[in-house]
Amino acid sequence: MKILTDNAKTELVSLVETTYGEAILTMQRGKEEKELVIAHTGLSEVVYESSVDYYLDNLGWTQEQFDDYWENGGEDKEIDNYVDGTVDYYDDWSAWEEIA
């Protein structure tokens, strides 16, 4: 009996933000490439909303603390984490198959 294994790794190919505010993530798994729209109104806005909720609600930061963090490198860090997390999510074969 032959056991099939999926050793393919999902990798980020590109991230493009259109003039309309869409952020389109292109990922590759093996030889297959797929695109996924991860933001319709700008990636920064989407990531800001989830980040501010996390830091204020879960970590107890003030809005002023968060604004300082966001303006001093936090925005780039949070966007990188968001993109990395999305790619990691689609590193599973069943999740990969969900992308149209």
Side-chain angles (χ1 to χ4, degrees):
M1 175 195 276
K2 183 177 180 182
I3 298 175
L4 298 176
T5 59
D6 176 18
N7 294 327
K9 175 113 175 97
T10 302
E11 297 181 10
L12 175 65
V13 174
S14 69
L15 173 61
V16 176
E17 287 194 72
T18 69
T19 56
Y20 301 108
E22 290 182 324
I24 303 169
L25 188 66
T26 303
M27 297 176 285
Q28 184 173 4
R29 185 175 178 82
K31 294 181 180 181
E32 186 176 18
E33 228 178 66
K34 292 187 177 183
E35 290 185 343
L36 179 69
V37 176
I38 59 172
H40 293 279
T41 59
L43 187 54
S44 183
E45 184 176 323
V46 169
V47 173
Y48 179 89
E49 292 301 322
S50 65
S51 297
V52 75
D53 289 345
Y54 173 77
Y55 284 94
L56 271 62
D57 296 342
N58 295 338
L59 299 182
W61 286 19
T62 65
Q63 183 68 48
E64 185 177 306
Q65 286 174 306
F66 181 78
D67 290 345
D68 185 54
Y69 165 70
W70 188 258
E71 293 167 6
N72 292 294
E75 178 179 8
D76 291 336
K77 179 182 175 187
E78 295 301 323
I79 288 173
D80 288 348
N81 289 340
Y82 185 84
V83 170
D84 289 346
T86 302
V87 172
D88 286 346
Y89 175 78
Y90 289 105
D91 198 31
D92 177 84
W93 186 254
S94 61
W96 179 257
E97 288 299 310
E98 293 174 2
I99 303 173

Tab-separated table of all heavy atoms in Angstrom, residues 23-74:
chain	number	residue	atom	x	y	z
A	23	ALA	N	-6.070	44.409	-1.200
A	23	ALA	CA	-4.762	43.791	-0.969
A	23	ALA	C	-4.877	42.356	-1.442
A	23	ALA	O	-5.686	41.573	-0.933
A	23	ALA	CB	-4.394	43.846	0.502
A	24	ILE	N	-4.092	42.011	-2.463
A	24	ILE	CA	-4.163	40.687	-3.079
A	24	ILE	C	-2.885	39.929	-2.759
A	24	ILE	O	-1.786	40.364	-3.106
A	24	ILE	CB	-4.359	40.793	-4.603
A	24	ILE	CG1	-5.628	41.605	-4.901
A	24	ILE	CG2	-4.426	39.401	-5.225
A	24	ILE	CD1	-5.787	42.002	-6.343
A	25	LEU	N	-3.063	38.826	-2.083
A	25	LEU	CA	-1.966	37.961	-1.675
A	25	LEU	C	-1.859	36.820	-2.683
A	25	LEU	O	-2.852	36.150	-2.966
A	25	LEU	CB	-2.289	37.407	-0.284
A	25	LEU	CG	-1.248	36.631	0.478
A	25	LEU	CD1	-0.082	37.538	0.836
A	25	LEU	CD2	-1.864	36.071	1.739
A	26	THR	N	-0.679	36.632	-3.241
A	26	THR	CA	-0.450	35.502	-4.142
A	26	THR	C	0.439	34.515	-3.406
A	26	THR	O	1.502	34.881	-2.900
A	26	THR	CB	0.223	35.947	-5.460
A	26	THR	OG1	-0.593	36.939	-6.076
A	26	THR	CG2	0.392	34.777	-6.409
A	27	MET	N	-0.042	33.270	-3.333
A	27	MET	CA	0.683	32.216	-2.630
A	27	MET	C	0.910	31.055	-3.587
A	27	MET	O	0.150	30.858	-4.530
A	27	MET	CB	-0.116	31.735	-1.419
A	27	MET	CG	-0.347	32.799	-0.378
A	27	MET	SD	-1.381	32.236	0.990
A	27	MET	CE	-2.996	32.222	0.214
A	28	GLN	N	1.948	30.296	-3.295
A	28	GLN	CA	2.263	29.119	-4.105
A	28	GLN	C	2.436	27.925	-3.184
A	28	GLN	O	3.043	28.013	-2.127
A	28	GLN	CB	3.552	29.349	-4.895
A	28	GLN	CG	3.897	28.213	-5.820
A	28	GLN	CD	5.088	28.546	-6.707
A	28	GLN	OE1	5.702	29.589	-6.582
A	28	GLN	NE2	5.393	27.640	-7.610
A	29	ARG	N	1.880	26.818	-3.619
A	29	ARG	CA	2.004	25.542	-2.899
A	29	ARG	C	2.361	24.500	-3.948
A	29	ARG	O	1.550	24.200	-4.814
A	29	ARG	CB	0.705	25.202	-2.198
A	29	ARG	CG	0.771	23.963	-1.344
A	29	ARG	CD	-0.554	23.789	-0.585
A	29	ARG	NE	-0.524	22.592	0.201
A	29	ARG	CZ	0.033	22.487	1.401
A	29	ARG	NH1	0.596	23.537	1.959
A	29	ARG	NH2	0.023	21.341	2.057
A	30	GLY	N	3.586	24.007	-3.885
A	30	GLY	CA	4.062	23.135	-4.952
A	30	GLY	C	4.161	23.952	-6.222
A	30	GLY	O	4.758	25.018	-6.249
A	31	LYS	N	3.505	23.485	-7.278
A	31	LYS	CA	3.513	24.205	-8.550
A	31	LYS	C	2.264	25.049	-8.750
A	31	LYS	O	2.140	25.756	-9.736
A	31	LYS	CB	3.650	23.213	-9.702
A	31	LYS	CG	4.986	22.506	-9.703
A	31	LYS	CD	5.098	21.564	-10.864
A	31	LYS	CE	6.464	20.873	-10.808
A	31	LYS	NZ	6.668	19.958	-11.913
A	32	GLU	N	1.341	24.966	-7.795
A	32	GLU	CA	0.068	25.672	-7.916
A	32	GLU	C	0.142	27.041	-7.245
A	32	GLU	O	0.633	27.178	-6.130
A	32	GLU	CB	-1.040	24.834	-7.266
A	32	GLU	CG	-2.411	25.393	-7.454
A	32	GLU	CD	-3.496	24.495	-6.879
A	32	GLU	OE1	-3.177	23.620	-6.036
A	32	GLU	OE2	-4.643	24.686	-7.258
A	33	GLU	N	-0.356	28.047	-7.936
A	33	GLU	CA	-0.393	29.408	-7.419
A	33	GLU	C	-1.843	29.847	-7.296
A	33	GLU	O	-2.653	29.573	-8.173
A	33	GLU	CB	0.331	30.338	-8.403
A	33	GLU	CG	1.319	31.246	-7.746
A	33	GLU	CD	2.062	32.120	-8.745
A	33	GLU	OE1	1.418	32.983	-9.383
A	33	GLU	OE2	3.275	31.935	-8.857
A	34	LYS	N	-2.158	30.514	-6.203
A	34	LYS	CA	-3.511	31.028	-5.995
A	34	LYS	C	-3.436	32.449	-5.457
A	34	LYS	O	-2.491	32.822	-4.760
A	34	LYS	CB	-4.284	30.154	-5.006
A	34	LYS	CG	-4.598	28.769	-5.532
A	34	LYS	CD	-5.499	28.012	-4.590
A	34	LYS	CE	-5.860	26.650	-5.153
A	34	LYS	NZ	-6.792	25.930	-4.276
A	35	GLU	N	-4.475	33.223	-5.770
A	35	GLU	CA	-4.593	34.584	-5.265
A	35	GLU	C	-5.740	34.659	-4.275
A	35	GLU	O	-6.755	33.975	-4.422
A	35	GLU	CB	-4.850	35.564	-6.404
A	35	GLU	CG	-3.670	35.765	-7.305
A	35	GLU	CD	-3.913	36.830	-8.358
A	35	GLU	OE1	-5.093	37.193	-8.609
A	35	GLU	OE2	-2.924	37.300	-8.934
A	36	LEU	N	-5.567	35.519	-3.280
A	36	LEU	CA	-6.570	35.697	-2.245
A	36	LEU	C	-6.643	37.177	-1.897
A	36	LEU	O	-5.614	37.805	-1.625
A	36	LEU	CB	-6.173	34.888	-1.007
A	36	LEU	CG	-7.079	34.956	0.204
A	36	LEU	CD1	-8.408	34.260	-0.098
A	36	LEU	CD2	-6.405	34.294	1.400
A	37	VAL	N	-7.837	37.740	-1.929
A	37	VAL	CA	-8.017	39.128	-1.512
A	37	VAL	C	-8.140	39.127	0.006
A	37	VAL	O	-9.041	38.503	0.562
A	37	VAL	CB	-9.267	39.767	-2.153
A	37	VAL	CG1	-9.481	41.173	-1.630
A	37	VAL	CG2	-9.143	39.768	-3.674
A	38	ILE	N	-7.184	39.778	0.677
A	38	ILE	CA	-7.198	39.771	2.140
A	38	ILE	C	-7.670	41.098	2.724
A	38	ILE	O	-7.794	41.226	3.936
A	38	ILE	CB	-5.827	39.369	2.726
A	38	ILE	CG1	-4.713	40.307	2.279
A	38	ILE	CG2	-5.496	37.934	2.386
A	38	ILE	CD1	-3.385	40.067	2.970
A	39	ALA	N	-7.921	42.084	1.870
A	39	ALA	CA	-8.476	43.356	2.320
A	39	ALA	C	-9.147	44.033	1.131
A	39	ALA	O	-8.612	44.015	0.030
A	39	ALA	CB	-7.389	44.250	2.901
A	40	HIS	N	-10.285	44.613	1.372
A	40	HIS	CA	-10.995	45.326	0.304
A	40	HIS	C	-10.871	46.828	0.454
A	40	HIS	O	-11.129	47.566	-0.490
A	40	HIS	CB	-12.480	44.931	0.286
A	40	HIS	CG	-12.702	43.518	-0.115
A	40	HIS	ND1	-12.716	43.101	-1.421
A	40	HIS	CD2	-12.884	42.393	0.625
A	40	HIS	CE1	-12.909	41.804	-1.488
A	40	HIS	NE2	-13.018	41.344	-0.248
A	41	THR	N	-10.493	47.298	1.636
A	41	THR	CA	-10.452	48.740	1.897
A	41	THR	C	-9.067	49.207	2.318
A	41	THR	O	-8.940	50.255	2.944
A	41	THR	CB	-11.453	49.104	3.009
A	41	THR	OG1	-11.108	48.361	4.189
A	41	THR	CG2	-12.874	48.792	2.612
A	42	GLY	N	-8.069	48.441	2.013
A	42	GLY	CA	-6.706	48.798	2.402
A	42	GLY	C	-6.239	47.893	3.527
A	42	GLY	O	-6.942	47.709	4.524
A	43	LEU	N	-5.072	47.325	3.345
A	43	LEU	CA	-4.548	46.377	4.323
A	43	LEU	C	-4.273	47.041	5.665
A	43	LEU	O	-4.562	46.483	6.719
A	43	LEU	CB	-3.275	45.729	3.773
A	43	LEU	CG	-2.680	44.596	4.575
A	43	LEU	CD1	-3.702	43.501	4.836
A	43	LEU	CD2	-1.467	44.025	3.860
A	44	SER	N	-3.762	48.239	5.631
A	44	SER	CA	-3.453	48.939	6.872
A	44	SER	C	-4.702	49.123	7.735
A	44	SER	O	-4.664	48.931	8.950
A	44	SER	CB	-2.816	50.301	6.570
A	44	SER	OG	-2.451	50.951	7.755
A	45	GLU	N	-5.804	49.472	7.100
A	45	GLU	CA	-7.058	49.686	7.837
A	45	GLU	C	-7.558	48.386	8.474
A	45	GLU	O	-7.968	48.375	9.635
A	45	GLU	CB	-8.123	50.254	6.902
A	45	GLU	CG	-9.412	50.599	7.605
A	45	GLU	CD	-10.422	51.244	6.686
A	45	GLU	OE1	-10.023	52.021	5.807
A	45	GLU	OE2	-11.612	50.963	6.855
A	46	VAL	N	-7.504	47.290	7.731
A	46	VAL	CA	-7.956	46.000	8.244
A	46	VAL	C	-7.100	45.561	9.431
A	46	VAL	O	-7.606	45.140	10.469
A	46	VAL	CB	-7.927	44.926	7.131
A	46	VAL	CG1	-8.133	43.536	7.694
A	46	VAL	CG2	-8.969	45.236	6.075
A	47	VAL	N	-5.789	45.678	9.275
A	47	VAL	CA	-4.872	45.262	10.331
A	47	VAL	C	-4.990	46.192	11.536
A	47	VAL	O	-4.940	45.740	12.683
A	47	VAL	CB	-3.423	45.198	9.802
A	47	VAL	CG1	-2.445	44.925	10.916
A	47	VAL	CG2	-3.306	44.127	8.722
A	48	TYR	N	-5.179	47.472	11.305
A	48	TYR	CA	-5.345	48.430	12.406
A	48	TYR	C	-6.523	48.034	13.284
A	48	TYR	O	-6.398	47.992	14.508
A	48	TYR	CB	-5.547	49.857	11.869
A	48	TYR	CG	-5.752	50.867	12.965
A	48	TYR	CD1	-4.667	51.509	13.544
A	48	TYR	CD2	-7.027	51.168	13.445
A	48	TYR	CE1	-4.844	52.432	14.577
A	48	TYR	CE2	-7.211	52.083	14.464
A	48	TYR	CZ	-6.116	52.712	15.027
A	48	TYR	OH	-6.301	53.610	16.048
A	49	GLU	N	-7.648	47.735	12.648
A	49	GLU	CA	-8.856	47.401	13.410
A	49	GLU	C	-8.656	46.177	14.297
A	49	GLU	O	-9.035	46.186	15.469
A	49	GLU	CB	-10.047	47.190	12.471
A	49	GLU	CG	-10.517	48.444	11.784
A	49	GLU	CD	-10.946	49.544	12.735
A	49	GLU	OE1	-11.562	49.247	13.783
A	49	GLU	OE2	-10.653	50.719	12.445
A	50	SER	N	-8.052	45.139	13.763
A	50	SER	CA	-7.851	43.940	14.578
A	50	SER	C	-6.766	44.157	15.629
A	50	SER	O	-6.867	43.656	16.748
A	50	SER	CB	-7.515	42.733	13.694
A	50	SER	OG	-6.292	42.905	13.033
A	51	SER	N	-5.749	44.928	15.291
A	51	SER	CA	-4.655	45.175	16.235
A	51	SER	C	-5.091	46.060	17.399
A	51	SER	O	-4.773	45.774	18.551
A	51	SER	CB	-3.464	45.830	15.525
A	51	SER	OG	-2.924	44.983	14.550
A	52	VAL	N	-5.803	47.123	17.091
A	52	VAL	CA	-6.219	48.040	18.160
A	52	VAL	C	-7.141	47.317	19.133
A	52	VAL	O	-7.030	47.487	20.354
A	52	VAL	CB	-6.847	49.338	17.607
A	52	VAL	CG1	-8.248	49.131	17.087
A	52	VAL	CG2	-6.827	50.448	18.658
A	53	ASP	N	-8.015	46.474	18.616
A	53	ASP	CA	-8.896	45.701	19.497
A	53	ASP	C	-8.082	44.788	20.409
A	53	ASP	O	-8.342	44.708	21.611
A	53	ASP	CB	-9.886	44.855	18.687
A	53	ASP	CG	-10.949	45.688	17.999
A	53	ASP	OD1	-11.118	46.870	18.357
A	53	ASP	OD2	-11.616	45.150	17.088
A	54	TYR	N	-7.103	44.105	19.847
A	54	TYR	CA	-6.274	43.185	20.633
A	54	TYR	C	-5.498	43.927	21.714
A	54	TYR	O	-5.537	43.548	22.891
A	54	TYR	CB	-5.307	42.421	19.723
A	54	TYR	CG	-4.323	41.592	20.500
A	54	TYR	CD1	-4.711	40.380	21.071
A	54	TYR	CD2	-3.018	42.032	20.713
A	54	TYR	CE1	-3.819	39.623	21.819
A	54	TYR	CE2	-2.121	41.269	21.452
A	54	TYR	CZ	-2.520	40.076	21.998
A	54	TYR	OH	-1.632	39.333	22.743
A	55	TYR	N	-4.801	44.980	21.357
A	55	TYR	CA	-3.951	45.674	22.318
A	55	TYR	C	-4.746	46.408	23.391
A	55	TYR	O	-4.357	46.401	24.559
A	55	TYR	CB	-2.993	46.636	21.603
A	55	TYR	CG	-1.846	45.914	20.946
A	55	TYR	CD1	-1.898	45.541	19.611
A	55	TYR	CD2	-0.712	45.555	21.665
A	55	TYR	CE1	-0.852	44.851	19.012
A	55	TYR	CE2	0.337	44.873	21.078
A	55	TYR	CZ	0.262	44.515	19.754
A	55	TYR	OH	1.291	43.829	19.166
A	56	LEU	N	-5.869	47.022	23.013
A	56	LEU	CA	-6.660	47.745	24.007
A	56	LEU	C	-7.473	46.784	24.880
A	56	LEU	O	-7.468	46.915	26.109
A	56	LEU	CB	-7.584	48.754	23.337
A	56	LEU	CG	-6.984	50.149	23.105
A	56	LEU	CD1	-5.790	50.131	22.192
A	56	LEU	CD2	-8.035	51.099	22.592
A	57	ASP	N	-8.136	45.823	24.255
A	57	ASP	CA	-9.016	44.922	25.003
A	57	ASP	C	-8.260	43.827	25.753
A	57	ASP	O	-8.559	43.536	26.909
A	57	ASP	CB	-10.046	44.273	24.082
A	57	ASP	CG	-10.993	45.290	23.466
A	57	ASP	OD1	-11.088	46.421	23.985
A	57	ASP	OD2	-11.635	44.947	22.454
A	58	ASN	N	-7.287	43.202	25.103
A	58	ASN	CA	-6.604	42.057	25.710
A	58	ASN	C	-5.389	42.444	26.541
A	58	ASN	O	-5.089	41.786	27.534
A	58	ASN	CB	-6.191	41.041	24.647
A	58	ASN	CG	-7.388	40.410	23.972
A	58	ASN	OD1	-8.483	40.394	24.516
A	58	ASN	ND2	-7.202	39.911	22.775
A	59	LEU	N	-4.678	43.472	26.128
A	59	LEU	CA	-3.466	43.854	26.858
A	59	LEU	C	-3.658	45.080	27.746
A	59	LEU	O	-2.763	45.445	28.496
A	59	LEU	CB	-2.307	44.084	25.877
A	59	LEU	CG	-1.895	42.862	25.039
A	59	LEU	CD1	-0.708	43.217	24.152
A	59	LEU	CD2	-1.562	41.669	25.919
A	60	GLY	N	-4.810	45.715	27.623
A	60	GLY	CA	-5.125	46.849	28.481
A	60	GLY	C	-4.379	48.134	28.143
A	60	GLY	O	-4.255	49.023	28.989
A	61	TRP	N	-3.898	48.261	26.923
A	61	TRP	CA	-3.214	49.484	26.523
A	61	TRP	C	-4.215	50.620	26.391
A	61	TRP	O	-5.397	50.415	26.140
A	61	TRP	CB	-2.524	49.303	25.177
A	61	TRP	CG	-1.285	48.469	25.191
A	61	TRP	CD1	-0.876	47.579	26.135
A	61	TRP	CD2	-0.290	48.429	24.174
A	61	TRP	NE1	0.302	46.992	25.776
A	61	TRP	CE2	0.694	47.499	24.572
A	61	TRP	CE3	-0.125	49.073	22.957
A	61	TRP	CZ2	1.807	47.209	23.802
A	61	TRP	CZ3	0.984	48.786	22.187
A	61	TRP	CH2	1.953	47.878	22.609
A	62	THR	N	-3.714	51.837	26.516
A	62	THR	CA	-4.535	53.010	26.222
A	62	THR	C	-4.439	53.285	24.726
A	62	THR	O	-3.535	52.804	24.044
A	62	THR	CB	-4.039	54.247	26.990
A	62	THR	OG1	-2.723	54.593	26.512
A	62	THR	CG2	-4.021	54.013	28.493
A	63	GLN	N	-5.355	54.096	24.233
A	63	GLN	CA	-5.312	54.480	22.821
A	63	GLN	C	-4.007	55.204	22.515
A	63	GLN	O	-3.402	55.000	21.466
A	63	GLN	CB	-6.510	55.355	22.455
A	63	GLN	CG	-6.562	55.728	20.982
A	63	GLN	CD	-6.835	54.550	20.073
A	63	GLN	OE1	-7.755	53.775	20.319
A	63	GLN	NE2	-6.049	54.395	19.013
A	64	GLU	N	-3.557	56.024	23.448
A	64	GLU	CA	-2.304	56.766	23.266
A	64	GLU	C	-1.103	55.815	23.158
A	64	GLU	O	-0.232	56.003	22.305
A	64	GLU	CB	-2.091	57.739	24.429
A	64	GLU	CG	-0.885	58.631	24.262
A	64	GLU	CD	-0.759	59.613	25.393
A	64	GLU	OE1	-1.738	60.340	25.667
A	64	GLU	OE2	0.325	59.652	26.006
A	65	GLN	N	-1.067	54.791	24.009
A	65	GLN	CA	0.017	53.806	23.923
A	65	GLN	C	-0.001	53.100	22.578
A	65	GLN	O	1.048	52.900	21.955
A	65	GLN	CB	-0.113	52.756	25.040
A	65	GLN	CG	0.249	53.226	26.409
A	65	GLN	CD	-0.062	52.165	27.436
A	65	GLN	OE1	-1.189	51.663	27.523
A	65	GLN	NE2	0.941	51.810	28.237
A	66	PHE	N	-1.202	52.718	22.132
A	66	PHE	CA	-1.302	52.024	20.859
A	66	PHE	C	-0.900	52.928	19.703
A	66	PHE	O	-0.175	52.497	18.802
A	66	PHE	CB	-2.706	51.475	20.625
A	66	PHE	CG	-2.803	50.744	19.319
A	66	PHE	CD1	-2.311	49.456	19.195
A	66	PHE	CD2	-3.333	51.362	18.194
A	66	PHE	CE1	-2.349	48.785	17.985
A	66	PHE	CE2	-3.379	50.699	16.985
A	66	PHE	CZ	-2.889	49.418	16.874
A	67	ASP	N	-1.363	54.170	19.709
A	67	ASP	CA	-1.011	55.103	18.635
A	67	ASP	C	0.497	55.291	18.543
A	67	ASP	O	1.056	55.333	17.446
A	67	ASP	CB	-1.699	56.449	18.842
A	67	ASP	CG	-3.203	56.380	18.617
A	67	ASP	OD1	-3.693	55.389	18.032
A	67	ASP	OD2	-3.899	57.329	19.053
A	68	ASP	N	1.155	55.387	19.683
A	68	ASP	CA	2.612	55.531	19.709
A	68	ASP	C	3.283	54.298	19.102
A	68	ASP	O	4.203	54.404	18.292
A	68	ASP	CB	3.103	55.763	21.141
A	68	ASP	CG	4.588	56.031	21.206
A	68	ASP	OD1	5.063	56.947	20.500
A	68	ASP	OD2	5.284	55.319	21.965
A	69	TYR	N	2.810	53.121	19.494
A	69	TYR	CA	3.335	51.863	18.952
A	69	TYR	C	3.108	51.800	17.438
A	69	TYR	O	4.018	51.481	16.672
A	69	TYR	CB	2.651	50.683	19.653
A	69	TYR	CG	2.824	49.353	18.966
A	69	TYR	CD1	4.058	48.714	18.946
A	69	TYR	CD2	1.745	48.732	18.331
A	69	TYR	CE1	4.222	47.485	18.310
A	69	TYR	CE2	1.902	47.512	17.702
A	69	TYR	CZ	3.135	46.886	17.692
A	69	TYR	OH	3.296	45.686	17.065
A	70	TRP	N	1.898	52.090	16.999
A	70	TRP	CA	1.520	52.002	15.594
A	70	TRP	C	2.375	52.932	14.733
A	70	TRP	O	2.840	52.550	13.660
A	70	TRP	CB	0.044	52.351	15.450
A	70	TRP	CG	-0.521	52.117	14.089
A	70	TRP	CD1	-0.776	53.057	13.130
A	70	TRP	CD2	-0.923	50.866	13.515
A	70	TRP	NE1	-1.303	52.474	12.010
A	70	TRP	CE2	-1.408	51.126	12.225
A	70	TRP	CE3	-0.917	49.560	13.973
A	70	TRP	CZ2	-1.885	50.128	11.381
A	70	TRP	CZ3	-1.393	48.563	13.143
A	70	TRP	CH2	-1.865	48.850	11.860
A	71	GLU	N	2.603	54.140	15.236
A	71	GLU	CA	3.339	55.149	14.474
A	71	GLU	C	4.850	54.938	14.502
A	71	GLU	O	5.565	55.542	13.703
A	71	GLU	CB	2.996	56.541	15.002
A	71	GLU	CG	1.559	56.920	14.737
A	71	GLU	CD	1.101	58.143	15.513
A	71	GLU	OE1	1.932	58.789	16.193
A	71	GLU	OE2	-0.104	58.444	15.439
A	72	ASN	N	5.342	54.106	15.380
A	72	ASN	CA	6.783	53.887	15.519
A	72	ASN	C	7.183	52.450	15.179
A	72	ASN	O	7.926	51.804	15.914
A	72	ASN	CB	7.237	54.266	16.933
A	72	ASN	CG	7.138	55.743	17.162
A	72	ASN	OD1	7.854	56.521	16.545
A	72	ASN	ND2	6.218	56.155	18.027
A	73	GLY	N	6.682	51.975	14.059
A	73	GLY	CA	7.068	50.650	13.574
A	73	GLY	C	6.038	49.565	13.796
A	73	GLY	O	6.141	48.486	13.211
A	74	GLY	N	5.053	49.816	14.624
A	74	GLY	CA	4.041	48.807	14.912
A	74	GLY	C	3.180	48.460	13.704
A	74	GLY	O	2.809	47.300	13.523
